[in-house]
Structure formats: structure tokens, C-alpha cells
Amino acid sequence: MAIHVARHLMTSTVGQHAEFHAVSPLVMLRHGLPETSSPRAAGLNLNGDQVIRLAHIFSTEPATVRRMSFSNVAMSSRRLIAARSLQSCTACHPGDRAGAVLRSQLLGWRITCPLCGGLLRHTGRQGVPSPFSRYHKTALIGERLLDDEAERGVRTWTSPAEIARILLMRRVPRPVPEAANRGDSGCSVQSFQISMVSSLRNLPTPASPVLPLHLRPALLAGVAIVERRASRTGDARKCCAAK
């Protein structure tokens, strides 16, 4: 059975085939990859040989299988991949195929659809308006920085995913270099941190740092501000030295 839509998540497609054959997704996946421990693990860690085997099973090209998995995502960015679908694009996924999950629905660093550029919405419930919508343009810069690192291995003076981790994990903001602290419209990295922490009931952890969609613009804008200001002033190392 061929895979016709490469944008679908590999594990979602495996699950659909498993349902058709009345077996579990793991049983279906182990038909071609007997060594795999779980569909999620396979989606994150496919090697070249496994990609070729799956491509043969689904009668498609290896490049298609890679685009449906996260095997090419940079290791530094993998903690920003959600375990379940959190978001969707009403233009690109309006009922697509029953039960199908798009790869983009698990990308915790995005606020826009990578296919059409439209704003993503919460999956399965009414979205909460973002209190950071006025920083949308700056957030898009941060989204691009994180996406370039995750999907293409491109980074500037440091890892944008590491900047995001530091912004999320620091419970009590410490002083940062003044040039890096100031952002657009007088907004500061510290104010992003305080606003995000005060808005969350359950704080993100190092193992699961994916923010709700309506709070992500703050994180993305913070990444953009730190990257831009520190790279201009030469304070890059100092900005991310504190943890």
C-alpha cells in the first residue's frame, strides 16, 4: 500500500495500516522493523537501513519516509517534539484523512503552518488568544531560527534550541547583559520569562518543554531577541552561560 501524502506523520500512517489489518501499530511496524521498541522511538531514530526497509514495505521512496519522520531533526531540538498532536492548520488539515496526523502537528517550536504559513490552532478545542500577539513579527524570526536548526542543521552563534531551554527553565530570572535584555517595543527577555511562568499551572520540564500554543510567541520572540542582540554586541557567550 503506497503512501500518497508525505506530510503525514509516519506513525500515523503505520497506525492506519495497522487498523486496516486488525493488528496493533507496534505489530505492524515490527513487520518491517523487528528491532523497534515503539512507533515513537522509530519515528525519532530511523537509520538509513530502516528507512529503506520501510520505503520498500510502503512502496514509496526513502526520501518520503524521512519527511514523515523526525529522524533528521537535530538532537538539540528533539525535546521540542510533542508526544501527541497539539495543533493543526484549518487550511491544510480540515479533516484530511480520518485519524491522520500531520508531522507539523507535533512541532513544538512552530506557531505557523510550514505548508501554507497560516497560524496554527489548538487541536480538538477552542484556542486561547495569545497575550503576546503584539510580538508576532519577532516571534516569526524566532520560529525561523528554531526551524532552521531543527530541520536543516543551521544555526548562528549558538543553538536556538539551547536559548529556548534556558529561557524556559530558569525559575528566577537573573540579570542578562543590557544590550541583550532589551527587545522590540521596550519588551525584555525577563518580562517574557515572568509572564510565561505566571501563566502556566504546570511549568515545563527539561524532558517536556513544549509550551501551549498561545504562549509560544513569547518564547519565540525571546529567542529572537537574545540571538539578535547578543550577536550584535559580542555578548553571545555571556548570555547563555547562566543556567
Side-chain angles (χ1 to χ4, degrees), residues 25-102:
L26 183 58
V27 169
M28 183 71 194
L29 191 57
R30 282 181 171 171
H31 177 68
L33 305 179
E35 69 277 17
T36 193
S37 59
S38 71
R40 177 170 171 80
L44 287 170
N45 301 298
L46 288 176
N47 60 38
D49 177 66
Q50 291 172 328
V51 166
I52 292 172
R53 279 187 276 163
L54 283 179
H56 176 73
I57 290 173
F58 292 117
S59 302
T60 190
E61 297 297 321
T64 301
V65 173
R66 290 191 185 94
R67 288 196 299 270
M68 297 175 69
S69 74
F70 300 111
S71 58
N72 289 346
V73 170
M75 291 299 297
S76 58
S77 304
R78 291 190 180 185
R79 60 166 60 94
L80 291 172
I81 299 173
R84 58 184 178 83
S85 173
L86 297 179
Q87 63 225 14
S88 63
C89 174
T90 54
C92 298
H93 192 224
D96 208 29
R97 287 165 57 188
V101 177
L102 303 190

Side-chain angles (χ1 to χ4, degrees), residues 120-148:
L120 295 172
R121 307 294 182 186
H122 288 279
T123 299
R125 62 184 178 88
Q126 185 175 0
V128 178
S130 174
F132 302 103
S133 57
R134 63 189 181 278
Y135 303 117
H136 179 70
K137 289 184 179 180
T138 308
L140 290 180
I141 296 172
E143 180 187 58
R144 176 179 54 78
L145 289 168
L146 285 163
D147 198 62
D148 281 346

